[in-house]
Amino acid sequence: MPQMKSLENTAARVILKDNREKSVKNYHPWIFSGAIKKIEGDFQPGDIVSVFSDKGNFLAKGFINPHSQIFIRILSFIDEPLNESFFRNRITTAAHFRETAISSQSNAYRLVHGDADHLSGLVIDRYDRVMVVQIFSLGMERLRTHIHDWLVELFSPQAIIERSDSPARREESLKSRQEIWEGSLPEKLFIEENGLKYRVDVWAGQKTGFYLDQRDNRARIAELAAGKKLLNCFSYSGGFSVAAAKKGVQTTSVDASSEAIALARENFSLNGIDPSAHRFQVQDVFDYLKGEKELYDIIVLDPPAFIKKRSHLVQGSRAYKEVNRLAMQRLASPGLLLSCSCSSHLDWEQFQKAIFVAARESGRMVQIIGRFSQPQDHPINIFHPEGEYLKSFLLRVV
Ligand code: SAH
């Protein structure tokens, strides 16, 4: 075996303040600046450095970024060499799990989910043979060319594109970037999920092109909606609608984006469903629900994150309450409501409280009949509860 080149800065040592190693001992992947006592040796922001307790015990290795609130993003709690083979193994392990868990359902899945896969600041989505990379940490940014090489070597994709356009990059002093890293994008990219086809626009579409995290809920709704009338609010490219319409359900899809609705129509046709037999509306969902008098048997509410920062908690909770209240008023009795939040700052209890107020204000009796989180390809690291962002209540409204 040839000697593997180290990717670490072995000259720098980060020392924590006395008694500040508790979160590291609990395997939390982030160390905040307040816990740092001193740094010995020279380093560049984004380097991989070792972290020690005040007593000099080794604790972890990770990316250092003094310009970010998250001072250290831990990659390993073991004193092992962090070289190319370390990262390749991490990516391969993550990929192997998805292949086992998801590939029978879909050829599109999240291959790497940041801290949940112990790769802080890296997200990789796979759409058949096209990979979309998102980088959120300075450390991963510094490894860009390596990440490119590892992906080419491990997966020989048709194309790799980078869509590092999340506001989270600003926290790490990084600018947005969108680039083709490798190969060329097919003119039209199609994926298959639970026997249904979707066209995915990885270049101009939302997120990395598709809401992979709603895969299980789309399948659930398709089962529940049979024989019913469905309203899909915040429909994007029609994921929930297509899944239900394929079961013969009459659907209405509402989204503020005309591109999203155009793509939703296309996805109906792609699955042999005549879009003209269904309703599509480019409109603000709040306005649609206020103006609408028709009742539906089942409503899906999958809004964008109303709480993007902790300081938006009160205002955002009110928006969740309001949209749920309006939806409840449009439900037949009994009706079903799948109510989702993808705001990581809103926990289950706070979200349930917003729905409680919505129920009280709309005067409807509401039963919780299901609680669902992210699918398996978006795992939650038990030591990093912040990673649980998607929360969905299935409600029976009487
Ligand atoms: N349920 C979808 C994903 C929804 S993403 C799926 O499974 O694919 C959220 C969507 O809400 C986006 O398509 C965005 O265009 C739309 N949106 C955001 N604010 C809106 C508003 N106020 N009214 C209507 N649509 C809105």
Side-chain angles (χ1 to χ4, degrees), residues 27 70 78 112-113 134 136 148 173 187 218 297 303 362:
Y27 301 119
I70 305 173
I78 300 170
V112 168
H113 187 50
Q134 289 186 305
F136 301 100
H148 163 270
S173 313
E187 199 180 323
R218 281 188 283 269
D297 304 307
S362 63

Side-chain angles (χ1 to χ4, degrees), residues 189-212:
L189 173 61
F190 302 99
I191 59 153
E192 226 177 290
E193 177 187 283
N194 292 319
L196 300 165
K197 292 192 188 65
Y198 294 98
R199 183 164 85 78
V200 174
D201 186 347
V202 291
W203 187 254
Q206 297 182 25
K207 244 180 156 186
T208 61
F210 198 63
Y211 288 82
L212 297 168

Side-chain angles (χ1 to χ4, degrees), residues 15-19 21 37 52-57 59:
I15 319 289
L16 299 193
K17 289 178 185 161
D18 193 23
N19 284 324
E21 63 269 32
K37 180 178 177 186
F52 297 85
S53 71
D54 193 37
K55 298 191 177 57
N57 297 321
L59 294 172

Side-chain angles (χ1 to χ4, degrees), residues 207-221:
K207 244 180 156 186
T208 61
F210 198 63
Y211 288 82
L212 297 168
D213 54 6
Q214 289 287 18
R215 182 188 311 110
D216 292 351
N217 281 337
R218 281 188 283 269
R220 270 182 199 114
I221 288 298

Side-chain angles (χ1 to χ4, degrees), residues 4-65:
M4 194 66 76
K5 198 173 148 273
S6 172
L7 295 169
E8 293 172 60
N9 171 348
T10 47
R13 291 164 61 93
V14 175
I15 319 289
L16 299 193
K17 289 178 185 161
D18 193 23
N19 284 324
R20 294 301 288 269
E21 63 269 32
K22 187 159 177 273
S23 79
V24 188
K25 294 273 189 201
N26 281 335
Y27 301 119
H28 195 285
W30 299 343
I31 304 176
F32 294 94
S33 51
I36 311 291
K37 180 178 177 186
K38 62 177 176 184
I39 304 160
E40 296 171 350
D42 289 337
F43 70 95
Q44 296 292 315
D47 278 355
I48 297 172
V49 297
S50 294
V51 182
F52 297 85
S53 71
D54 193 37
K55 298 191 177 57
N57 297 321
F58 172 86
L59 294 172
K61 291 184 179 188
F63 295 128
I64 184 168
N65 186 358

Side-chain angles (χ1 to χ4, degrees), residues 70-279:
I70 305 173
F71 204 95
I72 303 281
R73 291 173 173 271
I74 295 174
L75 296 159
S76 176
F77 294 93
I78 300 170
D79 194 0
E80 60 183 322
L82 295 208
N83 50 27
E84 293 208 34
S85 118
F86 168 87
F87 284 96
R88 271 202 225 105
N89 285 339
R90 280 275 154 96
I91 295 172
T92 314
T93 305
H96 178 70
F97 166 57
R98 272 64 169 190
E99 275 154 25
T100 320
I102 310 289
S103 63
S104 62
Q105 289 169 58
S106 181
N107 60 4
Y109 43 83
R110 179 149 294 187
L111 194 113
V112 168
H113 187 50
D115 286 297
D117 289 298
H118 311 286
L119 288 165
S120 198
L122 180 65
V123 161
I124 305 173
D125 286 343
R126 179 175 202 166
Y127 295 99
D128 192 14
R129 298 201 47 235
V130 172
M131 305 185 98
V132 186
V133 177
Q134 289 186 305
I135 291 175
F136 301 100
S137 65
L138 179 62
M140 286 295 176
E141 178 85 6
R142 296 259 314 275
L143 294 178
R144 273 177 92 236
T145 49
H146 285 297
I147 296 168
H148 163 270
D149 296 348
W150 298 328
L151 295 183
V152 170
E153 187 190 308
L154 295 170
F155 307 103
S156 326
Q158 178 182 1
I160 307 174
I161 71 157
E162 180 183 1
R163 283 209 47 191
S164 293
D165 44 15
S166 155
R169 275 173 72 88
R170 261 181 260 135
E171 318 271 321
E172 296 266 322
S173 313
L174 297 167
K175 293 205 178 69
S176 294
R177 193 196 287 106
Q178 181 163 7
E179 240 175 70
I180 296 187
W181 279 9
E182 175 74 20
S184 53
L185 277 176
E187 199 180 323
K188 289 202 166 186
L189 173 61
F190 302 99
I191 59 153
E192 226 177 290
E193 177 187 283
N194 292 319
L196 300 165
K197 292 192 188 65
Y198 294 98
R199 183 164 85 78
V200 174
D201 186 347
V202 291
W203 187 254
Q206 297 182 25
K207 244 180 156 186
T208 61
F210 198 63
Y211 288 82
L212 297 168
D213 54 6
Q214 289 287 18
R215 182 188 311 110
D216 292 351
N217 281 337
R218 281 188 283 269
R220 270 182 199 114
I221 288 298
E223 287 304 317
L224 289 167
K228 300 195 165 79
K229 201 162 73 170
L230 171 104
L231 172 63
N232 182 9
C233 296
F234 310 97
S235 65
Y236 184 49
S237 57
F240 283 100
S241 309
V242 169
K246 195 67 188 173
K247 302 256 179 189
V249 173
Q250 190 195 328
T251 70
T252 300
S253 306
V254 183
D255 199 284
S257 153
S258 56
E259 290 84 6
I261 289 292
L263 194 50
R265 286 179 183 275
E266 206 179 318
N267 283 330
F268 271 67
S269 304
L270 201 57
N271 289 283
I273 314 160
D274 179 6
S276 66
H278 294 264
R279 273 172 63 197

